[in-house]
Amino acid sequence: MSTPGKPFVRIDKNDCVLLVVDHQIGLFQLVRDFGPEEFRNNILAHAATGKVFNLPTILTTSAETGPNGPLLKEIIAMHPDAPFIKRQGEVNAWDNPDFRAAVKATGKKQVILAGIVTDVCTAFLALSLIEEGYTVFANADASGTFNAQVAATANDRMCAAGVHVCSQFAVNCDLMRDWRNTPGSLEMLPYYDTYLTQYGFVARGHAAAVQDGTILPGESV
């Protein structure tokens, strides 16, 4: 007799908040499980998801006047009116009362988050949110740490506690659900053209073929 698997928990764009956790220029330099260009792109994509889907978004930093450094200026420009909690000492963002209050004030029951580093800033907060009764989706593409082994251990720890560890593409597709929705292809294809080159070029190639394409001898669908 087979053991039933866990149910597929969907992301509800009407019931989730997006958290940007410690995406700071000093901490960024600790990340070695992604190349710097790829990871910068990933964390900007994470923040942009909040804009595309009109999600309540909360920014937070840890001791930003020290070596951790400030939040990426591109993220602040993207979310100029978002609550921005500058923690003075708390490692786990959930230990900061202003941050807890900001999350609770959204009234949302699902959380999408990413941070630097995966094993501390992402994992500690994700585990605390699970304990508080939230459904948590950790964006693995926008969480970085010292090496791939540390990332895998942290992701295993979160999964074991009930956190849904997902790629950025999985998060976006579950938020969208149907290309005919809003946001749908009109909003997401430009997003992918900016942040997910592989899919952006799939769309560009299709557009070029429709507009100017010629089927070559031996080519078939």
XYZ file of all heavy atoms in Angstrom, residues 118-119 123 127 145 147-160 165:
139
model
N 21.165 32.039 2.971
C 20.080 31.062 2.962
C 19.916 30.379 4.300
O 18.788 30.201 4.804
C 20.341 29.998 1.880
O 20.640 30.645 0.649
C 19.151 29.073 1.713
N 21.014 29.950 4.903
C 20.969 29.138 6.117
C 20.643 29.940 7.364
O 20.309 29.352 8.407
C 22.286 28.387 6.311
C 23.513 29.236 6.001
O 23.501 29.955 4.980
O 24.497 29.182 6.755
N 16.373 30.921 6.283
C 15.886 29.758 7.036
C 15.316 30.144 8.397
O 14.238 29.664 8.778
C 17.016 28.744 7.200
N 11.414 29.376 9.205
C 11.045 28.455 10.286
C 10.182 29.153 11.335
O 9.228 28.568 11.868
C 12.303 27.868 10.921
C 13.164 26.998 9.990
C 14.498 26.667 10.648
C 12.432 25.734 9.589
N 24.240 31.700 -0.329
C 25.070 31.461 0.847
C 26.488 31.077 0.424
O 26.879 31.262 -0.729
C 24.442 30.408 1.767
O 25.163 30.348 2.999
C 24.384 29.042 1.124
N 28.255 28.229 -0.015
C 28.525 27.208 -1.029
C 27.271 26.365 -1.230
O 26.290 26.485 -0.470
C 29.728 26.336 -0.654
C 29.580 25.659 0.699
O 28.627 24.917 0.916
N 30.529 25.900 1.599
N 27.303 25.491 -2.235
C 26.121 24.700 -2.588
C 25.742 23.715 -1.484
O 24.557 23.432 -1.281
C 26.372 23.958 -3.895
N 26.743 23.179 -0.768
C 26.442 22.235 0.302
C 25.673 22.912 1.437
O 24.701 22.355 1.958
C 27.727 21.612 0.846
C 27.482 20.593 1.962
C 28.759 19.989 2.498
O 29.841 20.254 1.980
N 28.639 19.173 3.524
N 26.086 24.106 1.808
C 25.375 24.845 2.864
C 23.952 25.156 2.413
O 22.994 25.027 3.189
C 26.138 26.137 3.226
C 25.313 27.002 4.178
C 27.472 25.796 3.857
N 23.792 25.552 1.153
C 22.457 25.845 0.626
C 21.570 24.605 0.675
O 20.398 24.680 1.095
C 22.556 26.367 -0.808
N 22.104 23.463 0.260
C 21.319 22.225 0.255
C 20.901 21.827 1.661
O 19.757 21.402 1.888
C 22.122 21.103 -0.403
N 21.814 21.970 2.620
C 21.491 21.631 4.009
C 20.391 22.543 4.546
O 19.454 22.086 5.213
C 22.752 21.744 4.882
O 23.750 20.854 4.388
C 22.443 21.397 6.335
N 20.502 23.830 4.243
C 19.483 24.781 4.699
C 18.133 24.498 4.053
O 17.086 24.539 4.717
C 19.928 26.211 4.385
N 18.147 24.211 2.753
C 16.881 23.912 2.068
C 16.253 22.627 2.595
O 15.028 22.546 2.751
C 17.118 23.826 0.563
C 17.397 25.180 -0.059
O 16.978 26.213 0.457
N 18.114 25.189 -1.176
N 17.088 21.621 2.895
C 16.570 20.382 3.484
C 15.932 20.655 4.846
O 14.874 20.099 5.174
C 17.686 19.356 3.640
C 18.119 18.738 2.324
O 17.399 18.908 1.310
O 19.189 18.095 2.303
N 16.580 21.501 5.625
C 16.040 21.836 6.947
C 14.680 22.521 6.818
O 13.738 22.195 7.553
C 17.023 22.745 7.697
C 16.568 23.118 9.097
C 17.508 24.132 9.742
N 17.140 24.373 11.129
C 17.650 25.339 11.883
N 18.585 26.143 11.382
N 17.247 25.503 13.131
N 14.581 23.460 5.880
C 13.310 24.154 5.688
C 12.225 23.203 5.183
O 11.088 23.225 5.688
C 13.498 25.329 4.722
C 14.260 26.496 5.327
S 14.252 27.991 4.291
C 15.500 27.554 3.070
N 12.569 22.376 4.213
C 11.578 21.427 3.679
C 11.058 20.499 4.771
O 9.858 20.212 4.831
C 12.193 20.607 2.549
S 12.441 21.510 1.015
N 11.953 20.032 5.617
C 11.549 19.115 6.690
C 10.565 19.771 7.655
O 9.737 19.085 8.275
C 12.789 18.631 7.443
N 10.203 25.080 -0.698
C 11.375 25.676 -1.338
C 11.184 25.578 -2.849
O 11.052 24.483 -3.397
C 12.671 24.976 -0.895
C 13.873 25.591 -1.608
C 12.834 25.074 0.621
